[in-house]
Amino acid sequence: MTDENQTGPSRRAFLTGAGAVAAGTLAGRASAQTDPAIAIHPWMQELGDGVDAAPYGMPSPHEADVKRRTVEWLTADPVSSINFTPLHDLDGTITPNGLCFERHHSGVARVDPAQHRLMIHGLVDKPLVLTMEDLKRFPRQNHVYFLECAANSGMEWRGSQLNGCQFTHGMIHNVMYTGVPLRLVLEEAGIKPEGKWLLAEGADAAAMTRSIPMEKALDDCLVAFKMNGEALRPEQGYPVRLVVPGWEGNMWVKWLRRLEVGDQPWHHREETSKYTDLMADGVARRFTWEMDAKSVITSPSPQAPITHGPGPTVLTGLAWSGRGTIPRVDVTLDGGITWHQARMDGPSTPKALHRFYYDFEWDGKPLLLQSRAHDSTGYVQPTKNALREIRGENSIYHNNGIQTWAVDADGKAENVEIS
Amino acid sequence: MSRFLKLALLASAMASPLAAEPLGLGRAATPEEIALWDIDVRPDGLGLPVGSGDVMTGDGIYTEKCSACHGVFGEGTGRWPVLAGGQGSLTNARPVKTIGSYWPYLSTVYDYVNRAMPFGNAQSLTDDEVYAITAYLLYLNDEVDEDFVLSSDNFAEARLPNEEAFKPDDRAEVEFAAFKEDPCMSDCKPSVEITMRAAVLDVTPEETAAKAAAKAEEAQAAEPTPEAPPAEAPAVEVAEAPAADPALIKAGEKVFRKCKSCHQIGAKAKNRVGPVLNGIVDGPAGAVDGFRYSKPMAAAAEAGLVWTESELSAFLASPKGYMKGTKMSFPGVRKEEDIAALIAYLRDASE
């Protein structure tokens, strides 16, 4: 057996090599002759696991590096912190549930769905209590939406800081939600005419609250209980969360337990001391709900360098807008002297991630890569400096400026800013 | 009934759930159930329970339940939020956004403490305790005196200083015109240069050897933000030592209550978190026996720093701004008259 195993590959290598003499270069022949991967591997001979070895499937162990990561120095404690989606490792437009970035203010609530209730009260005709079973009897819908934290790219306001689009842009994910239109739940309770605002509250130990104008609540919000077909993950609000399409992630209240209808906003902690944009003159913008059009090149990028040397190269990235779709993305290889329209690909719906590609021949010279999203309202993603001219550098939130990666002659990429 | 009509009726029955007609799902919420969960408070006072709490009671609760994270003076520990100070810093490169410097409404403080604090034991405080802590936070921010009592009766009168500085989102008016222009596609600029590199800063987390480096960075990042430099701090004009004014000394004694948890003064004074303050005015810096000073303070002492009234005033206005690395975590005395009174008291109590 062992002998056969050893002779097999070497014979094959010899034969392949012989063929390569005529057709290929000397280097090509040498590598083909010595490529140890051309072998009879154990997995070609031994039986693998049967069904149920992993009743809930896991990615290949060779993909163990594809995971959420945190930045320890950002916050005081992991219980009140954030981690980041590994955008550089993903393709297409859907984020796998286990890789959707997490943000908690008092940790992941461990909610028993049988003990969970959604209360609707305030300026309504009939205050209601709904169980999860009740909720699932409303007519439901499926929609793909991105969820972006308002602070995504916030560490880059004062300049390039973190090497990796996971860290600069990874506070975003995009899944298909199954849920009940919030409008139906509110109409079940009967909104009084003076009911102009909605307070949504979570069941975690932060009792997260946000005020939402009634117009938005009745428009496209969902009370969602599934993501990508399965139940919400606990870190994403199991058993039920609010979906507020196109608006900053903090409003998508997780572990949703209460909806109060009122005639004014509540001005709670998240909408006053946080998630307000401090301008250079000391004035603060509030109620900055919609996420502006934005894009990022996910590969090549600092965590996804070019490893193959000069030749055909696939550049790819993501673009999105809280105000609609992304009909067009421009990319530049030379730091913005010349731009090219990228190829849009994959399923694209409003307020969802859009995938773009730009296939080019890399000549091995250094590159300065940027992408620029256009959204369906005609808005074009601005440069970071254009944003800074208006907002200063203290905003923290809503940084949708154009990102630059510098690729060197070795294919390594770095987060930079350019003139 | 024709088959067609049956189908039409079936179709309309199936469509009915999408109309505004209620489905009859769920059950009525009782007033008791609503009362248990309906804890939110609005700026106009809606939702505020009847109750009251005073600053000194709040001091005790705060010290026990809040100070481990937020610091004895609301200065924050590690990366936990700073709650006091920061006034006048909102246009600085490093604004300090606190209840006193940034938050628009006091109701937000009450609501947030009530719903989410203490961290890890949410909704465990009584209404009166929340009033007391809220009152103490106003005191830490120099908004009220230490004999202040906050209650459901006077809550609506309380105003935070930064309320007027908030305005609605104006991106549509201020930004959209500029950001909807047709962008350049070729020959957009003559040349391009790299102006900044993330690698220079090197704060990207790595799971390998760089972890230690990141830790070092964390320590650096966690260092409290320097307050306004002493040059910007209001200089207290003290032309000559004024004759002891009993009213001033008495006012200073009140201000000294902020210092008492760390410092003692008088015949029986002992070193505590901070050194004994006897003879501090016009005395040499870093000179109290048995107290371990910070490195910067020891260095200043060696260089011959004397706590003249003007030096002491600058230090008290902003300890960390005056001396980066000082052990004194106190954010500073904001009012000039309070500093003058405090110095008068320190001089008097030493005798």
Side-chain angles (χ1 to χ4, degrees):
Chain A
M1 239 357 223
T2 314
D3 283 352
E4 261 181 46
N5 274 349
Q6 283 173 345
T7 54
S10 68
R11 182 187 279 173
R12 271 160 220 231
F14 172 76
L15 286 173
T16 316
V21 173
T25 62
L26 192 65
R29 185 185 65 184
S31 72
Q33 270 179 334
T34 56
D35 184 355
I38 307 297
I40 305 294
H41 296 287
W43 57 84
M44 298 164 73
Q45 297 191 298
E46 295 163 10
L47 299 176
D49 288 333
V51 295
D52 284 356
Y56 197 107
M58 288 290 289
S60 160
H62 299 286
E63 300 295 320
D65 204 42
V66 182
K67 60 182 183 182
R68 296 181 283 222
R69 288 178 174 84
T70 188
V71 174
E72 278 181 40
W73 52 262
L74 271 182
T75 57
D77 191 292
V79 166
S80 177
S81 191
I82 190 149
N83 62 17
F84 302 82
T85 301
L87 299 177
H88 61 287
D89 278 319
L90 304 178
D91 215 314
T93 56
I94 296 293
T95 314
N97 290 343
L99 295 177
C100 290
F101 82 94
E102 304 167 64
R103 170 76 175 110
H104 316 307
H105 294 250
S106 291
V108 179
R110 292 180 293 261
V111 178
D112 174 356
Q115 295 295 313
H116 191 72
R117 298 289 182 270
L118 175 60
M119 183 185 284
I120 302 115
H121 70 104
L123 298 175
V124 297
D125 298 327
K126 185 188 172 197
L128 281 180
V129 173
L130 299 172
T131 62
M132 288 307 298
E133 252 192 343
D134 294 333
L135 265 178
K136 289 174 181 173
R137 292 170 65 196
F138 284 88
R140 69 186 88 132
Q141 300 179 357
N142 292 284
H143 295 279
V144 176
Y145 293 122
F146 75 81
L147 189 175
E148 185 182 19
C149 176
N152 198 21
S153 316
M155 291 97 86
E156 306 291 305
W157 268 112
R158 295 194 176 90
S160 43
Q161 181 157 208
L162 287 156
N163 265 325
C165 66
Q166 178 166 22
F167 303 112
T168 58
H169 290 73
M171 295 185 201
I172 189 166
H173 56 70
N174 191 62
V175 306
M176 176 175 280
Y177 292 99
T178 307
V180 173
L182 176 59
R183 179 176 61 82
L184 295 184
V185 175
L186 292 172
E187 283 173 354
E188 188 70 17
I191 308 155
K192 290 187 190 293
E194 61 271 34
K196 299 294 182 207
W197 287 84
L198 185 69
L199 185 77
E201 182 177 270
D204 59 327
M208 173 63 61
T209 43
R210 284 298 299 256
S211 305
I212 300 165
M214 191 56 76
E215 205 176 25
K216 178 69 173 177
L218 297 179
D219 178 20
D220 57 358
C221 294
L222 293 176
V223 178
F225 36 82
K226 304 264 179 181
M227 55 196 288
N228 292 334
E230 66 173 8
L232 294 179
R233 293 291 173 96
E235 64 269 30
Q236 303 299 338
Y238 179 85
V240 61
R241 83 174 308 165
L242 205 57
V243 168
V244 190
W247 289 23
E248 60 192 21
N250 181 252
M251 306 181 80
W252 300 43
V253 172
K254 301 193 280 191
W255 312 288
L256 182 70
R257 78 153 179 239
R258 192 166 69 95
L259 295 166
E260 180 175 354
V261 178
D263 60 350
Q264 283 176 40
W266 278 260
H267 297 287
H268 278 178
R269 188 239 196 193
E270 304 299 327
E271 49 212 18
T272 55
S273 77
K274 310 286 171 189
Y275 305 102
T276 50
D277 298 356
L278 177 58
M279 302 289 116
D281 61 0
V283 167
R285 284 178 180 165
R286 68 175 154 203
F287 299 163
T288 47
W289 300 305
E290 279 173 315
M291 300 306 289
D292 288 319
K294 188 169 170 180
S295 69
V296 64
I297 293 170
T298 55
S299 179
S301 67
Q303 292 165 287
I306 302 176
T307 52
H308 55 61
T313 302
V314 175
L315 178 155
T316 187
L318 292 163
W320 60 94
S321 168
R323 296 186 174 90
T325 56
I326 300 288
R328 172 177 156 192
V329 173
D330 306 325
V331 297
T332 177
L333 307 180
D334 59 13
I337 296 171
T338 307
W339 292 84
H340 317 272
Q341 279 202 38
R343 175 167 61 85
M344 306 306 298
D345 188 81
S348 283
T349 51
K351 302 165 190 177
L353 291 189
H354 296 58
R355 174 64 64 175
F356 64 86
Y357 296 99
Y358 182 67
D359 309 289
F360 72 102
E361 191 83 10
W362 183 40
D363 59 8
K365 292 194 184 119
L367 305 168
L368 290 172
L369 304 179
Q370 294 182 329
S371 61
R372 180 172 70 194
H374 300 236
D375 80 10
S376 47
T377 72
Y379 179 100
V380 182
Q381 185 183 1
T383 63
K384 288 188 191 172
N385 281 335
L387 274 182
R388 288 176 186 135
E389 272 175 34
I390 295 172
R391 303 192 197 167
E393 296 183 357
N394 286 339
S395 301
I396 299 179
Y397 304 105
H398 303 105
N399 183 353
N400 67 315
I402 290 172
Q403 176 64 42
T404 312
W405 306 127
V407 178
D408 68 13
D410 295 330
K412 285 199 310 253
E414 187 194 343
N415 177 9
V416 300
E417 294 211 9
I418 58 174
S419 56
Chain B
M1 202 185 285
S2 75
R3 194 165 165 225
F4 172 79
L5 196 58
K6 267 189 194 164
L7 279 174
L9 281 174
L10 188 65
S12 74
M14 282 169 70
S16 69
L18 288 170
E21 298 237 333
L23 298 169
L25 289 168
R27 62 165 178 83
T30 69
E32 294 74 27
E33 287 173 332
I34 294 171
L36 194 63
W37 273 12
D38 182 11
I39 59 171
D40 51 83
V41 177
R42 279 195 336 201
D44 61 4
L46 193 80
L48 200 65
V50 173
S52 69
D54 61 89
V55 169
M56 283 305 146
T57 307
D59 184 358
I61 303 165
Y62 176 92
T63 303
E64 184 194 335
K65 299 188 176 189
C66 319
S67 64
C69 292
H70 295 294
V72 177
F73 306 103
E75 76 277 13
T77 65
R79 307 237 85 194
W80 296 107
V82 178
L83 301 182
Q87 282 87 352
S89 75
L90 295 183
T91 54
N92 294 356
R94 299 276 168 185
V96 181
K97 298 199 269 184
T98 71
I99 291 161
S101 71
Y102 192 68
W103 294 35
Y105 305 112
L106 187 63
S107 62
T108 312
V109 180
Y110 187 100
D111 180 87
Y112 188 67
V113 171
N114 186 43
R115 72 174 51 249
M117 293 291 118
F119 191 64
N121 195 16
Q123 300 193 36
S124 64
L125 300 166
T126 66
D127 293 342
D128 285 350
E129 284 177 325
V130 179
Y131 274 106
I133 290 172
T134 307
Y136 183 65
L137 290 172
L138 282 176
Y139 170 74
L140 277 185
N141 279 285
D142 281 330
E143 293 299 322
V144 298
D145 291 327
E146 85 277 348
D147 51 5
F148 177 73
V149 183
L150 183 68
S151 72
S152 33
D153 294 329
N154 66 4
F155 198 96
E157 296 157 27
R159 284 278 176 281
L160 295 182
N162 200 42
E163 180 178 337
E164 298 303 322
F166 285 81
K167 61 174 186 180
D169 182 9
D170 59 356
R171 283 177 292 179
E173 299 85 62
V174 177
E175 298 181 1
F176 284 8
F179 296 163
K180 283 189 176 177
E181 281 174 5
D182 232 8
C184 174
M185 292 300 283
S186 58
D187 297 323
C188 301
K189 43 188 167 184
S191 65
V192 61
E193 262 175 59
I194 293 177
T195 55
M196 193 174 190
R197 315 187 81 110
V200 174
L201 201 61
D202 193 21
V203 291
T204 310
E206 282 182 35
E207 286 126 358
T208 52
K211 204 159 184 181
K215 282 258 180 208
E217 188 62 41
E218 174 190 356
Q220 223 170 14
E223 211 157 276
T225 320
E227 299 275 332
E232 288 175 26
V236 179
E237 293 283 334
V238 189
E240 54 199 60
D245 171 357
L248 194 66
I249 292 167
K250 202 157 178 9
E253 189 176 4
K254 267 174 78 173
V255 179
F256 187 73
R257 290 186 191 173
K258 292 186 181 185
C259 320
K260 258 177 149 171
S261 45
C262 299
H263 292 281
Q264 294 188 344
I265 191 164
K268 292 179 183 172
K270 288 196 178 93
N271 289 333
R272 290 180 63 185
V273 175
V276 164
L277 295 179
N278 291 330
I280 192 78
V281 187
D282 293 330
V288 174
D289 276 347
F291 186 78
R292 284 190 57 199
Y293 289 94
S294 64
K295 276 187 188 157
M297 186 65 84
E302 202 157 313
L305 174 66
V306 172
W307 287 126
T308 61
E309 294 205 7
S310 70
E311 292 292 343
L312 198 52
S313 298
F315 181 66
L316 289 171
S318 173
K320 285 192 187 304
Y322 180 94
M323 184 178 286
K324 192 168 160 41
T326 175
K327 279 183 173 180
M328 187 146 124
S329 61
F330 182 65
V333 180
R334 200 146 60 92
K335 296 178 191 157
E336 287 179 34
E337 60 264 35
D338 283 355
I339 294 177
L342 185 58
I343 290 175
Y345 172 74
L346 289 174
R347 201 187 278 284
D348 180 73
S350 300
E351 286 162 6

